């Protein structure tokens, strides 16, 4: 549930995207070599990266919905790398808001 992986092809090579949800660590691995490793803590950030001579961007939206995508010259290669992570974060965010609203409402009535 906390670790998400996806393999996509960029520039004719297989790249493994590995994201750990608790630490916020994103790794790009190709043939055992780490191409990119970063802790994603900012709510919205673009990370430029050169992969095999091409300039890609990793766009990360961390709060309130976790969505990480890969783009080449503003063209989406994979706009949502981890759809399961997006669903989990959306459900968690929704239930947390409902719970807090219920607690405030109960406190106001008491």
């Amino acid at each position: 549930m906390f670790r998400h992986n996806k393999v996509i092809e960029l520039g004719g090579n297989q790249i493994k995207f590995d994201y750990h949800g608790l630490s916020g660590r994103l790794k790009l691995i190709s043939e055992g070599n780490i191409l990119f490793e970063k802790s994603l803590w900012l709510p919205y950030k673009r990370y430029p990266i050169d992969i095999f001579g091409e300039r890609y961007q990793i766009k990360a939206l961390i709060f309130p919905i976790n969505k990480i995508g890969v783009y080449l010259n503003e063209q989406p290669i994979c706009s949502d790398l981890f759809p399961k992570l997006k669903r989990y974060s959306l459900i968690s965010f929704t239930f947390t808001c409902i719970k807090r609203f219920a607690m405030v409402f109960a406190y106001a009535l008491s």
Side-chain angles (χ1 to χ4, degrees), residues 74-110:
E74 299 299 323
Q75 298 290 334
I77 302 297
C78 185
S79 61
D80 194 7
L81 280 172
F82 312 112
K84 199 179 231 184
L85 174 68
K86 182 179 170 184
R87 280 194 305 270
Y88 286 153
S89 65
L90 181 60
I91 290 168
S92 175
F93 181 73
T94 303
F95 281 127
T96 301
C97 289
I98 291 170
K99 179 183 168 186
R100 289 187 181 172
F101 176 75
M103 289 175 63
V104 168
F105 187 68
Y107 180 72
L109 291 179
S110 63

Side-chain angles (χ1 to χ4, degrees), residues 15-61:
I15 307 292
K16 179 182 177 186
F17 290 81
D18 184 26
Y19 180 72
H20 191 268
L22 286 178
S23 66
R25 177 73 86 200
L26 177 68
K27 289 183 188 177
L28 276 63
I29 303 168
S30 174
E31 299 175 2
N33 298 325
I34 296 176
L35 302 175
F36 178 80
E37 184 174 11
K38 196 71 133 173
S39 289
L40 307 178
W41 287 106
L42 295 175
Y44 181 76
K45 179 83 172 166
R46 293 179 186 195
Y47 300 95
I49 181 171
D50 288 325
I51 301 175
F52 306 114
E54 293 187 78
R55 188 81 166 162
Y56 292 92
Q57 276 191 347
I58 297 174
K59 293 182 184 178
L61 175 65

